[in-house]
Amino acid sequence: MNEKRKNSTRSGSNFKWVGEVTPRPDGVDKVTGRARYGDDLKLPGMLHARVLRSPHAHAKIVSIDTSKASALEGVKGVVTYRDIPDHPLATPPYPPIIQDFHDLSRNVMARDKVLYDGHAVAAVAATSEAVAREAIKLIQVKYETLPHVLDPFEATLSDAPILHEYQFTEGADPDTSKPSNTFRTLSGERGNLVQGFSEADVIIEREFSSQPVHQGFIEPMACVASASEDGSVELWTSTQGHFVARGLLSKLLNLEISKLRVTASEIGGGFGAKTTIYGEPVAIRLSQKTGRPVRMTFTRSEVFRATGPAAGSRCRIKVGIKSDGTITAGDAEIWYQAGAFKGAPVGRALDTFFSPYNIKHIRAAAHDVCVNRPKVAAYRAPGAPMATWAMEAVLNEAADVIGIDPIDLRLRNAVKEGDTSLKGTKHGRIGLIEVLEATKNHAHYTAPLGRNEGRGFAVGYWLHGGGLSSASVILQDDGTVNVATGSPDIGGSRSSMRAMAAEELGIDVKLIKPIIADTGSLPYSYQTAGSRTTYATGMAVVNAARDVIDRLRALAATKWDIGVKDVRWDDGHAIPADKYEGEISPLSLKELAEVAMKMGGAIAGHSEINASGQGAAFCAQLVDVCVDPETGRVTPIRHTVIEDVGRAISPDYVEGQMQGGAVQGIGWALNEEYIYNENAQLQNTGFLDYRMPVASDVPMIDTVIVEVPNPNHPYGVRGVGEPPLVSAPAAVANAVENAIGTTMSHLPLTPPKILRAIGETIPEAAE
Amino acid sequence: MSKHFVSAIVNGDEVEFRCDSGETLLDVLRTKLYLTGTKNGCGTGDCGACTVLMNGRAINSCLVLGAECSDMSIETIEGMAVGGELHPLQQKFLDHAALQCGVCTPGILNMAKALLKENSNPSETEVRFGLAGNLCRCTGYDKIVRAVMDAAAEMRARRT
Ligand code: FES
Ligand code: FES
């Protein structure tokens, strides 16, 4: 792997810890089984909850009779929608991930209607899981089934079954005459499309579709709620954002924020899905009703049926290009399945289509459409991969048609500093050109291909997240340090927080223990999502460490009886100004820690910020696949991810993010999809049938870390996690197209689809 | 429901427990013996997060009944490090950053341990197929495969 890093275009630095590989602070606990995840907390007297879920995709709830379940020995409490407070429809709802409490209340527990197979209808808490399972079978629900709709485009047609009688399309031209499944259409336009297309020598127009895919984290949703008679509640949960969970729960359940203390357990993957709440409110209500701690852990099948997934899509796109490769115009429209409640990532789709390129005349529209499927949740770069796939597929086709190298085509149109995206983001220093050049210069790009093999290429854009973060850096009296943040650590962020604090303080990383503080111990922080943590929370850590340094300088100044201006901080020491040389000797952080306890009191630094300036990042991928012409099976055989991360604080975990995102993209492109029967019941609710890539499906994933430092971050960080998934499905699909010589426009590219595309007759069993 | 009374060896210690006919070894480990290092990712034998060794063989503990464990020797992740020293596989997983969220890690470590027992010098392909029953959604497997091969090399070197 060190070999590989030499390949990277990482800028040299004078940092001691930033950019170095250091032992991960939570590593030993995770290889020894000591780390505690959502389902690993056992409390005395704890009850076990199970949820009864709808077998219907769309039905009125006529009645719910829980009396038999309540009477079962060992059952301590039952809840239905009557126990979950209702909320009025909010206008406008709360962006960016829309959380309308009217919807949230109904998604947590179906109220008047069930809207998807798997929708929660009732829940019980019992002395054992077995009893709870037995009890939910005794709950009698009378349904009156209604027609359903699954496809986002069909859901917009006038004869489609309507999910919400109260929903009217918002947007540019709102239609309030009749209810609609389209919650809103976002659109943006600049320039003049007619002119743009008239300037083009080649116009390519295509349609695409994709199925919902699940985030596929290995740890199911799990929490333990413990409510006290005094009105306070403690919640232990596997979440990407315990402050956000607290905010949602307190508002949903009418709890006082300060009395709801949420602790983030170790989290076994989330990829966006754990940015919101699922079983938590039900567990809290069951705990309040029973007076006992309640554990709520979803089964894998519940995870598939009722959490996530990422939106399925329909898309059409039209792009005009001159024969010299200049893109003159782009026009795109996408329909995203929001699932049962509004909130598909339409804003991101809009921002994604054309953002890597400087195109004069563009228009994009994205529809947020409700269908009878589980409500979508964020999935790594929500909204971006499918929009990127459409644009990149068309550009690759255009490059073929006009006979230009696909990377040169991108280079000709690449956005750079000073350009503005459709949404109006004016780019600062960004690294698209560096990424494209590193891709072009990579040996993979020109390596020979064998029979039945093809190569794909795509580049993706992601505007990273910033936002609210807080951190405390606490100096202990023995000179060791705790760094506390409010950002759950999904993939090694504690390493990066520690490295940045060590760099600032000038001490060994070994002296620093980073922790994730609960919601009672730190001010508000957003979720670990949108690739924001190392950027925003990292910035808070740097600020808090600098706060500590300021206090230590002041302490040294007091002790030495000199002005604080005459004390500087260098390499872990307070150092008096030159004029005191020989008179006063420097004091180390450890010495000062001791002094502090005798003088002004303990030392800590704090920071609460609303970070901005994170900027855009780009990730390119090269993928080789081999297509078996007899079976239609696609095997990825070589894969390179090239990404500008600004600066890699923990390079090994940065590589890991790039590799993980790439393989999720392979799954999205080739295998993964939600499959429904004619009654709109989900058919593949387990990992056997929802087939994610396993170790033998994929090759090594090479990484090239490009570092074009972000001037707005003290260490140049941009972020890393999202962009690898943005361009992966597009690159994989393009490789398949290249191998079989025809365009492919409907994901996933399963063997039957491949066989059909190459004109083979398909054995019936494969269909 | 009558309970089964079972005595078994877990990580070298004699243990006794009572369980229902339907309770799996995974349930027993996690809820009766409080060994929560063994993870439940699916409960249906599809993810490998619950992999433990039973008489030296890797099994999905969610597919084995507690009642079947009489006199069996079970090794879980909690028993992998001995006397405060990490197993080479554990150390190499840390050195290679072969985990992100870490929830798949206990199962993968146990599976790899069994694999290396059978084949002390596996090829990349053999490692990939050996671990094909263990899902990891975070890492893309690259660093896991490298860590296992490096651990194998280290274990071979230690033996000679
Ligand atoms: S929990 Fe046993 S295989 Fe998934
Ligand atoms: S490290 Fe998260 S599933 Fe493997």
Side-chain angles (χ1 to χ4, degrees), chain A residues 170-244:
Chain A
E170 296 184 355
D173 31 34
D175 180 358
T176 50
S177 64
K178 55 179 192 317
S180 163
N181 291 323
T182 305
F183 164 60
R184 63 173 178 170
T185 296
L186 285 189
S187 56
E189 184 168 2
R190 77 174 175 215
N192 178 332
L193 280 186
V194 177
Q195 187 191 333
F197 282 111
S198 72
E199 287 166 6
D201 296 314
V202 173
I203 293 175
I204 295 187
E205 206 171 347
R206 269 174 74 177
E207 289 187 2
F208 297 85
S209 72
S210 71
Q211 298 303 316
V213 293
H214 199 270
Q215 292 80 352
F217 42 82
I218 306 301
E219 181 205 23
M221 275 67 187
C223 69
V224 179
S226 184
S228 161
E229 286 75 5
D230 71 6
S232 56
V233 175
E234 297 209 353
L235 176 72
W236 161 271
T237 185
S238 175
T239 178
Q240 288 175 246
H242 43 316
F243 289 89
V244 171

Side-chain angles (χ1 to χ4, degrees), chain A residues 380 655-665 724, chain B residues 100 137-140:
Chain A
R380 206 168 193 158
E655 290 173 352
Q657 288 291 322
M658 293 162 76
Q659 294 165 331
V663 170
Q664 285 184 317
Chain B
Q100 285 175 29
R137 190 60 154 175
C138 298
T139 64

Side-chain angles (χ1 to χ4, degrees), chain A residues 465-538:
Chain A
L468 303 174
S469 277
S470 61
S472 288
V473 172
I474 303 151
L475 177 59
Q476 308 297 357
D477 51 308
D478 63 354
T480 62
V481 171
N482 285 115
V483 171
T485 70
S487 301
D489 176 355
I490 305 196
S493 61
R494 268 165 290 193
S495 272
S496 299
M497 300 306 146
R498 187 184 58 176
M500 285 184 271
E503 201 69 53
E504 290 293 325
L505 297 172
I507 59 172
D508 195 302
V509 288
K510 285 201 206 92
L511 298 172
I512 303 177
K513 175 86 178 168
I515 63 159
I516 314 300
D518 67 68
T519 56
S521 311
L522 265 193
Y524 195 89
S525 289
Y526 277 157
Q527 306 107 324
T528 294
S531 299
R532 63 174 291 278
T533 302
T534 312
Y535 180 80
T537 307

Side-chain angles (χ1 to χ4, degrees), chain A residues 124-356:
Chain A
V124 305
T127 48
S128 78
E129 176 130 12
V131 173
R133 261 198 308 261
E134 233 7 79
I136 56 170
K137 289 188 208 148
L138 300 176
I139 298 173
Q140 287 160 332
V141 186
K142 254 204 220 130
Y143 296 102
E144 191 182 306
T145 55
L146 299 164
H148 60 262
V149 60
L150 290 176
D151 180 87
F153 186 71
E154 283 166 20
T156 63
L157 303 177
S158 60
D159 58 346
I162 293 291
L163 273 74
H164 307 296
E165 295 299 331
Y166 52 79
Q167 178 171 284
F168 301 91
T169 304
E170 296 184 355
D173 31 34
D175 180 358
T176 50
S177 64
K178 55 179 192 317
S180 163
N181 291 323
T182 305
F183 164 60
R184 63 173 178 170
T185 296
L186 285 189
S187 56
E189 184 168 2
R190 77 174 175 215
N192 178 332
L193 280 186
V194 177
Q195 187 191 333
F197 282 111
S198 72
E199 287 166 6
D201 296 314
V202 173
I203 293 175
I204 295 187
E205 206 171 347
R206 269 174 74 177
E207 289 187 2
F208 297 85
S209 72
S210 71
Q211 298 303 316
V213 293
H214 199 270
Q215 292 80 352
F217 42 82
I218 306 301
E219 181 205 23
M221 275 67 187
C223 69
V224 179
S226 184
S228 161
E229 286 75 5
D230 71 6
S232 56
V233 175
E234 297 209 353
L235 176 72
W236 161 271
T237 185
S238 175
T239 178
Q240 288 175 246
H242 43 316
F243 289 89
V244 171
R246 181 190 60 177
L248 296 176
L249 289 163
S250 57
K251 188 157 172 147
L252 178 68
L253 300 178
N254 304 319
L255 298 168
E256 284 173 52
I257 290 178
S258 62
K259 287 194 185 147
L260 172 55
R261 185 170 173 192
V262 185
T263 304
S265 70
E266 290 295 344
I267 171 172
F271 311 108
K274 293 179 187 170
T275 52
T276 185
I277 52 172
Y278 301 91
E280 290 95 337
V282 180
I284 290 175
R285 292 296 291 125
L286 283 167
S287 180
Q288 286 173 327
K289 285 182 93 166
T290 59
R292 290 169 64 166
V294 173
R295 157 185 173 260
M296 165 87 76
T297 297
F298 284 8
T299 63
R300 179 54 55 182
S301 136
E302 289 181 288
V303 169
F304 277 116
R305 289 171 74 203
T307 77
S313 66
R314 288 267 208 121
C315 174
R316 51 150 217 88
I317 188 166
K318 181 176 165 190
V319 174
I321 302 188
K322 280 195 190 156
S323 47
D324 69 355
T326 309
I327 309 172
T328 60
D331 185 11
E333 185 164 14
I334 196 161
W335 291 260
Y336 267 137
Q337 298 163 1
F341 300 95
K342 60 188 176 269
V346 283
R348 286 294 197 169
L350 214 61
D351 193 36
T352 296
F353 279 114
F354 303 118
S355 285

Side-chain angles (χ1 to χ4, degrees), chain B residues 73-150:
Chain B
S73 168
I74 311 293
E75 293 165 63
T76 73
I77 190 65
E78 287 88 349
M80 199 178 231
V82 179
E85 199 183 323
L86 297 182
H87 186 281
L89 275 163
Q90 291 172 309
Q91 188 58 50
K92 291 299 179 190
F93 266 57
L94 295 179
D95 295 348
H96 285 267
L99 55 141
Q100 285 175 29
C101 79
V103 81
C104 68
T105 310
I108 292 188
L109 285 169
N110 273 320
M111 182 54 90
K113 189 173 159 191
L115 176 73
L116 297 188
K117 229 185 271 175
E118 302 263 300
N119 179 354
S120 63
N121 190 10
S123 66
E124 180 195 329
T125 308
E126 286 169 334
V127 172
R128 287 189 179 278
F129 278 90
L131 297 180
N134 292 75
L135 290 172
C136 173
R137 190 60 154 175
C138 298
T139 64
Y141 304 104
D142 181 301
K143 292 178 188 304
I144 291 176
V145 174
R146 286 171 202 272
V148 172
M149 294 182 70
D150 196 14

Side-chain angles (χ1 to χ4, degrees), chain A residues 477-672:
Chain A
D477 51 308
D478 63 354
T480 62
V481 171
N482 285 115
V483 171
T485 70
S487 301
D489 176 355
I490 305 196
S493 61
R494 268 165 290 193
S495 272
S496 299
M497 300 306 146
R498 187 184 58 176
M500 285 184 271
E503 201 69 53
E504 290 293 325
L505 297 172
I507 59 172
D508 195 302
V509 288
K510 285 201 206 92
L511 298 172
I512 303 177
K513 175 86 178 168
I515 63 159
I516 314 300
D518 67 68
T519 56
S521 311
L522 265 193
Y524 195 89
S525 289
Y526 277 157
Q527 306 107 324
T528 294
S531 299
R532 63 174 291 278
T533 302
T534 312
Y535 180 80
T537 307
M539 207 186 264
V541 167
V542 169
N543 290 346
R546 289 180 183 173
D547 192 13
V548 166
I549 290 169
D550 287 344
R551 287 170 200 221
L552 291 174
R553 284 174 52 235
L555 177 66
T558 312
K559 181 163 166 69
W560 292 333
D561 198 18
I562 64 175
V564 69
K565 280 196 309 301
D566 287 330
V567 183
R568 66 190 169 85
W569 189 261
D570 191 31
D571 200 22
H573 289 76
I575 299 179
D578 289 347
K579 60 182 168 188
Y580 300 106
E581 220 190 305
E583 265 174 60
I584 308 177
S585 34
L587 282 169
S588 71
L589 175 127
K590 185 177 161 111
E591 288 162 336
L592 285 165
E594 241 184 271
V595 171
M597 302 306 274
K598 294 178 200 136
M599 287 181 64
I603 301 264
H606 306 281
S607 172
E608 295 85 28
I609 58 170
N610 191 354
S612 60
Q614 59 274 21
F618 299 88
C619 178
Q621 311 204 31
L622 290 170
V623 180
D624 295 355
V625 300
C626 181
V627 178
D628 182 335
E630 267 171 47
T631 62
R633 182 183 158 90
V634 177
T635 309
I637 52 177
R638 186 170 182 182
H639 197 134
T640 307
V641 187
I642 307 99
E643 182 178 354
D644 170 27
V645 303
R647 172 149 356 252
I649 304 291
S650 304
D652 46 353
Y653 285 95
V654 165
E655 290 173 352
Q657 288 291 322
M658 293 162 76
Q659 294 165 331
V663 170
Q664 285 184 317
I666 292 174
W668 196 331
L670 297 181
N671 300 325
E672 297 178 31

